[in-house]
Amino acid sequence: MALEWNERMIQKLRQFYEGETLPATMLHVADDHDSVIQLRENAGAITLDQCFELYTKKTMLDGDNTYYCGKCKDHVRGTKVLGVWKPADVLIIQLKRFGMQKFYGRHMPEKLTESVEFPLDGLDIGPYVADHAAAKAQPEKFIYDLFGVVNHMGHASFGHYTASIRKGEWINNWACTDPGDPKEAAKAASEGVGKAPAACLWEEFDDGKVREIDAESVVSSRAYILFYRRRGSPSC
């Protein structure tokens, strides 16, 4: 967790304490996690691939995080690695949108609003699976296309949810077509391209309201939970 103080917040604290010396526990220095430093150094936006890379990165377990070895009867250092063991037909990714911040000596919930860029089509999780041999032998089994997003607007204490859903019929190998265009549907069925065009229409569900939206608006800082489907998986 990274804790930052800007000058505006510090001035508010000084006004609250009427010029007195701020308590030492109020403003303190914390070490940033390597993942936070890496993302800050990145000139562009955060990408879903970067999130996967950091999620599957080896982590050293030392200090208070050492583990007990039953063989040597002592706490020893080690490494922890997370990865995808087996590709599922439906992949659900939850972005970290809520955290905690310390304010006036209390931990308060906060909303994380950083934008994360994620692909509508062609998400390849092959590099992040534990079985590298399987990913290299059959790379097509690790390709996913987005079909739904849960969005959150508001703050950590309150907010509103909407859903963005891909519109169209899924034919053969996850080919997205407009059901109102029979020529396009027939072409996709005959070619079996196994590709979902980004131009496919989307709909936004907001309580009782439903409206069409552009594909470009699906990727936003409101995105909270992503729903991907593996290409070639059985139709629902």
Side-chain angles (χ1 to χ4, degrees):
M1 182 180 75
L3 182 63
E4 296 182 354
W5 291 95
N6 55 40
E7 188 61 29
R8 181 168 169 268
M9 184 63 69
I10 293 175
Q11 290 297 331
K12 282 189 174 182
L13 289 173
R14 288 190 175 128
Q15 291 174 6
F16 180 82
Y17 283 94
E18 297 180 352
E20 298 179 11
T21 302
L22 296 178
T25 57
M26 186 64 70
L27 300 176
H28 64 280
V29 178
D31 294 331
D32 288 338
H33 189 269
D34 291 342
S35 61
V36 176
I37 297 175
Q38 290 183 31
L39 292 178
R40 281 180 179 167
E41 292 176 349
N42 178 36
I46 302 172
T47 66
L48 191 59
D49 278 327
Q50 286 179 306
C51 295
F52 268 111
E53 289 172 3
L54 296 176
Y55 183 77
T56 57
K57 181 181 178 181
K58 287 185 178 180
T59 303
M60 177 63 67
L61 301 176
D62 54 11
D64 295 334
N65 294 319
T66 56
Y67 73 97
Y68 184 78
C69 177
K71 185 177 181 180
C72 51
K73 307 299 181 183
D74 194 9
H75 285 84
V76 297
R77 298 174 65 192
T79 56
K80 179 185 71 174
V81 181
L82 298 176
V84 180
W85 181 252
K86 181 180 179 181
D89 288 341
V90 176
L91 176 65
I92 302 175
I93 301 174
Q94 178 178 325
L95 303 177
K96 185 177 176 62
R97 285 297 180 201
F98 304 100
M100 299 294 292
Q101 63 175 344
K102 196 170 184 179
F103 186 69
Y104 288 102
R106 299 176 57 189
H107 286 89
M108 304 292 291
E110 66 171 340
K111 171 74 179 293
L112 307 179
T113 58
E114 287 80 4
S115 294
V116 177
E117 294 185 352
F118 49 89
L120 301 184
D121 307 294
L123 172 64
D124 182 7
I125 66 168
Y128 315 114
V129 299
D131 191 349
H132 298 292
K136 291 182 179 180
Q138 295 178 307
E140 69 280 358
K141 289 190 174 182
F142 299 89
I143 305 299
Y144 288 78
D145 299 314
L146 188 73
F147 69 91
V149 178
V150 172
N151 305 295
H152 178 269
M153 290 79 72
H155 302 280
S157 301
F158 64 90
H160 180 67
Y161 290 90
T162 64
S164 300
I165 306 297
R166 193 190 287 263
K167 180 182 179 181
E169 293 182 352
W170 299 102
I171 301 175
N172 286 347
N173 297 323
W174 205 234
C176 182
T177 65
D178 185 342
D181 187 347
K183 291 183 179 180
E184 183 69 19
K187 180 180 179 181
S190 62
E191 295 179 353
V193 293
K195 182 179 180 182
C200 183
L201 296 178
W202 287 73
E203 291 181 325
E204 182 183 68
F205 292 77
D206 184 355
D207 290 338
K209 297 180 293 184
V210 180
R211 66 185 182 95
E212 288 190 352
I213 58 175
D214 295 330
E216 292 76 13
S217 64
V218 176
V219 182
S220 71
S221 60
R222 304 179 305 162
Y224 179 31
I225 304 176
L226 314 178
F227 295 84
Y228 283 90
R229 188 172 181 184
R230 187 159 60 99
R231 290 184 183 174
S233 59
S235 300
C236 297

